[in-house]
Amino acid sequence: MIAFRKHTGLVVPLDRVNVDTDQMVPKQFLKLLTREGYGKFLFYDWRYLEREKPNPDFVLNQPRYRGASVLLARANFGCGSSREHAPWAILDYGFRALIAPSYADIFYNNCFKNGILPVTLADAQVDELFRRTARQEGYALTVDLESQTVADASGLRFTFEVDGFRKECLLNGWDDIGLTLRYEDRIADYERRHQPQARPYGPLDGITSGD
Amino acid sequence: MPPLSMYEKIWSSHAVVEEPGRPALIYIDRHLIHEITSPQAFAGLKSAGRKARRPDLTFAVMDHSVPTKDRNLPLVDKVAAAQFDALERNCQEAGILLFDMQSPDQGIVHIIGPDLGLTQPGQTIVCGDSHTSTHGAFGALAFGIGTAEVEHVLATQCLTQFKSKPMRIGVAGRRPRGVTAKDLILAIIGRIGIGAGAGHVIEYAGEAIHELSMEGRMTVCNMSIEAGARAGMVAPDDSTVAYLEGRPFVPRGKDFQEAAARWKTLGSDPGAHFDRVVELDATEIAPQVTWGTNPGMVTDVTGRVPDPASFADAVERSAAERALEYMALEPGTRMEDIPVDRVFIGSCTNSRLEDLRLAASVLDGRKVARTIKQALVVPGSERIKARAEAEGLDRIFKAAGFEWRDAGCSMCIGMNADVLPSGERCASTSNRNFEGRQGKGGRTHLVSPMMAAAAAIEGHFVDIRQWDVHPVE
Ligand code: SF4
């Protein structure tokens, strides 16, 4: 996993509440076998008109937000489907940090597994960032995971909360399977004690896999 | 010992490692996988030189993009075919039991788990799919995970988890006639909102919940994720035990008696702490119909499309305006005056035998309105399909003008050929009315199977409570 320490980038405001992962990556793009290349599908149905003509009304297509790498969003961002294609697309598009008042659980978790920092700020703070982004073309923010702050060039500085374990993993880009495998003995021990309950009952009468 | 909630009991019996200041390592009893969210996990596993630790606790099925007819013909969708091939290859290499498209046990992952008895009380169950919450109906801790976590479970049979907060939703009283489990859960989400469950695991309790069949409880738990909750659960009782007895993967004989006795101790202790408690009265709940683009945008069938101006919060107001624009609805329109173009009865929310029976009881002796372009019924599994056919339900559906298909996710998500065309309106028994969910530009109204069937007959939504419907035997 890629690490996240500190990032400065142009902010794009997505002023919609409850943005679901179906919008982030529509279903027709879930049939691929890789994790790469989803950036062009991000917000597909909002971003494009017929024949992939960019929709000029959609905020990501406005010239002033070209190259944005910080996504400013509203409450319950990433609700719905668990598809990790959503953070893959967000990352592949070029976003490194998200800022919103709240996130859906699975999506929030998925971001950390992909080197994206989802920053949670209070409603009023998010409102203020929306105002500043609208007012000032080229508005950029610096998101610093180490100090847990979001800051702009004119002195605004907000601090945010993040769980210590998640922070450590993201700062170091740790592979959490590797971390878990350090506990292999404990897992094996648990399996020995728990085995009779965990094992599916067999034989598998009447069950056919189809081939 | 302080009194524990069901969630806490299952959590602590599965904690392999629990250290202060760190998320716990939780053991996973059942890992269900399907074609959409697993290929990258297997690829990751392989590139790191790792193996599936417990293929015997992992079960795979093809469901999301499977065609629902002409399964003996070659697949038209080559991209989907490549994904099916990948799943087959990955399962073969790892030694994982796969229910492929030709299997008589194939079906939607959340339907076949309980139906085959893979799902059992007290278990931890995960799947790379948010509606894994369905399995909580059995008093299991079941939740959806991302693909990185699918890889993690394959490699370690464990999951790194932060503890959620227990929440209790009590539904007192008895449901009125014509009000189903689907209406209960839609009413609950309408009341508490789609983000209300974030960070929580919901335990559903109360007379109206325990009076539900296991099928109904699954419908309720299924949509927990639509309230933002990680999981939903119902304490095991006699119905749970009766449902499971004799299913293929369930213990038999003395083992079953022992298991059943253990299952019945899983419910929350009296006085257990819940971080949030919500109480509803089932007698006040009417059949529900959604009007917007998330499941919380819902009202009684006797209600009207709301006026966005009536929302106090500016963000909510603009969301409602946008939703009405997408749905092409005018504020103040009576829900019963909304015409529908297509009807879809299916999905992991409402495609079990009971759902099909309820829909058939409405359709029996009636015909789909001429204005309906398509009425589709997609059983949740091939086993359910066969059972329904043995009861003659297929004949009722077909006589009414419904198409009777093979099992899969179908028009719930439109990843196969069953897509809702742009601009058309669908009465759907699925769980998500998000923009474009059933097809780009398609307009979804979530309803119960009875309400969907009645909408098919009349060509618009109707209050099923007004109908004289007799259960199909
Ligand atoms: S039926 Fe719909 S909600 Fe259920 S698993 Fe399939 S796509 Fe997901």
Side-chain angles (χ1 to χ4, degrees):
Chain A
M1 187 185 80
I2 55 168
F4 184 107
R5 302 194 81 82
K6 185 174 180 173
H7 175 82
T8 303
L10 185 69
V11 184
V12 59
L14 184 64
D15 198 357
R16 292 179 191 182
V17 72
N18 300 322
V19 172
D20 61 79
T21 54
D22 276 63
Q23 308 314 319
M24 296 186 193
V25 182
K27 57 185 162 271
Q28 62 269 36
F29 308 114
L30 303 180
K31 294 178 189 168
L32 306 181
L33 299 171
T34 57
R35 289 176 203 243
E36 291 80 34
Y38 287 91
K40 54 181 176 293
F41 309 133
L42 182 67
F43 298 122
Y44 190 88
D45 289 349
W46 291 347
R47 217 163 119 200
Y48 302 108
L49 303 167
E50 312 290 81
R51 283 184 297 278
E52 300 206 351
K53 205 168 109 291
N55 176 359
D57 294 338
F58 186 56
V59 69
L60 256 60
N61 292 329
Q62 292 169 15
R64 62 180 283 194
Y65 298 120
R66 194 155 299 149
S69 57
V70 177
L71 180 61
L72 182 62
R74 292 290 186 188
N76 200 28
F77 192 66
C79 61
S81 157
S82 63
R83 58 188 71 165
E84 203 162 309
H85 310 69
W88 296 338
I90 284 173
L91 187 69
D92 194 54
Y93 181 90
F95 289 117
R96 289 305 317 277
L98 313 175
I99 301 174
S102 60
Y103 302 86
D105 285 348
I106 305 177
F107 175 79
Y108 184 74
N109 210 17
N110 284 343
C111 284
F112 283 96
K113 311 268 181 208
N114 288 281
I116 302 164
L117 174 61
V119 173
T120 310
L121 291 177
D123 275 310
Q125 294 174 319
V126 171
D127 283 343
E128 178 59 25
L129 295 180
F130 268 100
R131 270 195 296 278
R132 290 188 182 215
T133 308
R135 215 162 43 215
Q136 186 188 328
E137 198 158 333
Y139 186 72
L141 284 168
T142 298
V143 181
D144 186 344
L145 177 56
E146 188 89 63
S147 65
Q148 298 180 210
T149 55
V150 172
D152 72 7
S154 55
L156 171 143
R157 192 168 180 278
F158 293 145
T159 58
F160 61 88
E161 294 296 320
V162 60
D163 165 76
F165 176 78
R166 286 191 162 119
K167 176 176 174 179
E168 205 183 338
C169 289
L170 197 51
L171 282 172
N172 296 294
W174 279 337
D175 157 26
D176 60 348
I177 296 180
L179 292 182
T180 298
L181 287 174
R182 291 192 205 159
Y183 292 105
E184 195 148 15
D185 292 350
R186 307 263 300 261
I187 299 172
D189 181 53
Y190 181 87
E191 280 176 330
R192 271 189 297 276
R193 285 184 284 121
H194 183 66
Q195 190 69 11
Q197 287 175 39
R199 191 176 38 85
Y201 204 78
L204 316 177
D205 293 343
I207 295 293
T208 42
S209 63
D211 41 22
Chain B
M1 268 271 272
L4 294 177
S5 68
M6 176 163 45
Y7 170 67
E8 289 167 309
K9 289 185 194 179
I10 301 177
W11 173 276
S12 53
S13 67
H14 287 81
V16 174
V17 179
E18 220 176 354
E19 290 165 358
R22 295 242 148 180
L25 204 57
I26 294 296
Y27 198 78
I28 301 303
D29 295 325
R30 294 288 181 274
H31 186 195
L32 309 174
I33 59 180
H34 60 78
E35 75 272 21
I36 304 297
T37 55
S38 69
Q40 292 86 354
F42 280 104
L45 204 65
K46 198 176 277 180
S47 76
R50 291 171 179 143
K51 278 197 160 22
R53 182 183 178 90
R54 292 299 301 268
D56 58 328
L57 303 183
T58 314
F59 298 85
V61 66
M62 298 175 176
D63 58 0
H64 278 66
S65 6
V66 296
T68 52
K69 59 178 182 184
D70 303 329
R71 284 209 178 144
N72 42 351
L73 301 181
L75 283 170
V76 186
D77 183 344
K78 295 300 166 213
V79 194
Q83 234 177 19
F84 294 134
D85 289 347
L87 183 64
E88 197 160 347
R89 207 172 40 246
N90 288 329
C91 288
Q92 217 155 51
E93 283 173 18
I96 293 167
L97 183 60
L98 165 68
F99 303 110
D100 74 10
M101 230 175 296
Q102 311 304 333
S103 166
D105 296 312
Q106 181 268 348
I108 304 170
V109 61
H110 311 307
I111 301 281
I112 66 166
D115 204 34
L116 296 175
L118 286 166
T119 302
Q120 291 166 27
Q123 290 178 336
T124 48
I125 305 173
V126 297
C127 173
D129 193 286
S130 59
H131 291 102
T132 309
S133 59
T134 312
H135 308 259
F138 291 81
L141 175 57
F143 51 90
I145 55 177
T147 295
E149 291 175 312
V150 171
E151 184 180 337
H152 190 281
V153 177
L154 283 171
T156 67
Q157 202 57 32
C158 291
L159 206 54
T160 308
Q161 275 292 295
F162 292 89
K163 206 165 184 174
S164 302
K165 289 183 255 179
M167 170 173 178
R168 184 184 186 278
I169 297 184
V171 191
R174 296 186 148 237
R175 279 172 295 130
R177 206 173 57 92
V179 175
T180 65
K182 181 64 162 289
D183 303 298
L184 291 189
I185 188 62
L186 282 172
I188 289 170
I189 298 167
R191 163 87 83 83
I192 67 175
I194 62 170
H200 292 81
V201 163
I202 300 174
E203 179 174 341
Y204 301 94
E207 184 184 2
I209 298 296
H210 279 279
E211 192 211 67
L212 290 172
S213 64
M214 292 314 293
E215 283 85 349
R217 296 178 197 182
M218 285 188 256
T219 300
V220 169
C221 289
N222 172 274
M223 290 191 71
S224 303
I225 183 73
E226 300 333 316
R230 278 244 93 176
M233 44 199 346
V234 177
D237 58 13
D238 290 339
S239 309
T240 320
V241 172
Y243 178 98
L244 288 170
E245 187 162 18
R247 296 196 181 253
F249 288 92
V250 171
R252 289 183 272 277
K254 195 169 129 284
D255 290 349
F256 181 77
Q257 300 310 328
E258 277 170 24
R262 197 173 60 239
W263 295 340
K264 290 217 190 138
T265 65
L266 284 166
S268 293
D269 298 332
H273 169 77
F274 290 93
D275 288 82
R276 195 169 165 201
V277 176
V278 177
E279 302 287 351
L280 281 89
D281 183 349
T283 62
E284 288 167 5
I285 294 174
Q288 302 287 298
V289 184
T290 62
W291 51 265
T293 51
N294 72 50
M297 294 173 162
V298 66
T299 189
D300 295 354
V301 62
T302 50
R304 290 172 187 270
V305 175
D307 187 346
S310 67
F311 290 84
D313 180 71
V315 178
E316 294 289 339
R317 196 180 315 132
S318 78
E321 277 165 7
R322 222 194 115 73
L324 291 195
E325 192 189 321
Y326 181 87
M327 294 297 289
L329 289 173
E330 289 298 323
T333 307
R334 278 163 28 102
M335 295 309 290
E336 291 194 81
D337 290 342
I338 300 173
V340 303
D341 301 300
R342 286 176 203 251
V343 175
F344 170 63
I345 297 177
S347 91
C348 56
T349 311
N350 280 131
S351 64
R352 286 167 281 265
L353 194 57
E354 177 183 281
D355 301 313
L356 303 185
R357 283 184 186 146
L358 285 169
S361 68
V362 173
L363 296 173
D364 199 9
R366 297 187 168 103
K367 285 245 181 284
V368 166
R370 281 223 302 280
T371 51
I372 299 286
K373 299 191 176 84
Q374 183 183 35
L376 196 59
V377 52
V378 182
S381 73
E382 289 296 299
R383 280 181 175 238
I384 290 172
K385 184 185 184 202
R387 270 181 244 142
E389 286 174 355
E391 291 183 12
L393 299 183
D394 59 322
R395 289 200 300 277
I396 297 176
F397 280 109
K398 286 191 255 185
F402 270 76
E403 295 172 44
W404 178 252
R405 297 290 188 87
D406 280 316
C409 295
S410 181
M411 208 189 271
C412 171
I413 191 166
M415 290 190 72
N416 64 356
D418 309 332
V419 174
L420 177 62
S422 186
E424 290 194 10
R425 204 178 282 291
C426 182
S428 175
T429 66
S430 56
N431 44 52
R432 286 188 177 138
N433 48 346
F434 294 158
E435 288 182 26
R437 170 77 177 185
Q438 295 191 284
K440 187 178 175 178
R443 297 168 183 143
T444 303
H445 295 269
L446 305 177
V447 287
S448 77
M450 290 174 97
M451 288 286 290
I457 302 299
E458 293 297 328
H460 56 86
F461 295 110
V462 284
D463 185 351
I464 191 66
R465 291 172 302 183
Q466 310 297 332
W467 288 31
D468 189 21
V469 170
H470 299 283
V472 179
E473 295 302 342

